[in-house]
Amino acid sequence: MRVLLVEDEQRLVATLRDGLRTAGIDMDHARTGREGLAAALDGDHDLMILDIGLPDQEGFTVLRRLRAAGSDLPVIILTARTSAEDTVRGLERGADDYMPKPFSFDELLARIRLRARAREAAPEDPTVRVGRCALDPVTRSLTCDGEPVALSPRELQLAQLLMEHADRVVTRAEALDAVWGSASRDNVLDVYVRYLRTRLGADAIETVRGVGYRFHG
């Protein structure tokens, strides 16, 4: 198990590193919110412990940007800011837990293990993520940069096809057959790609001349 600690108090960093090592947990450390967000989005951690009072930005901002990027990394806020308003603010922005300083290391360790078990037991996330966009096929919803994008059923179907095969070019014939059926008119695909570019941005979908389209997000 690997934990990311985003904290600028060096004495606390050393204490937590020693305690977690003894518990068999590896710990990486980031001193600023910018460093912490970049490390969290690398996807190599099982949980983040996040301070609110960071040198460059509030931990609340880090948390908001993390969730906007589509990350479901469990986050435990560990902070001296203990007001009910701050607690609610943290939880509403996507924190999984909120612990005040000073704290019991044994309690923190128990909460870390609890969050790790909950994540392992959770069903696999069906969300398709490409670039800045995330599509949930269960709720049939699309977000880009954390903001919902309103699409018609046919637009969503085309977006899902392109996103699920973003590692390659989707041919025109393949898209027409999958979304409209083999008897569809060829130009309908161009029309709907234009609709998607209007909503997602001109660079979201690349045209590969003579072949088809590739989704970049």
Side-chain angles (χ1 to χ4, degrees), residues 38-46 71 73 119:
L41 291 177
D42 279 345
D44 195 32
H45 298 94
D46 301 292
S71 174
L73 181 70
R119 194 183 197 200

Side-chain angles (χ1 to χ4, degrees), residues 2 20 78 92 103 190 199 208:
R2 182 174 293 275
L20 291 173
L78 190 64
E92 286 183 342
F103 62 95
D190 301 315
R199 290 158 175 75
V208 181

Side-chain angles (χ1 to χ4, degrees), residues 148-177:
V149 180
L151 298 178
S152 71
R154 193 79 74 178
E155 290 168 347
L156 189 67
Q157 191 176 354
L158 177 59
Q160 182 173 345
L161 174 70
L162 294 173
M163 290 178 69
E164 287 178 343
H165 299 89
D167 59 330
R168 63 176 178 84
V169 178
V170 175
T171 67
R172 296 182 63 86
E174 181 181 2
L176 286 165
D177 185 59

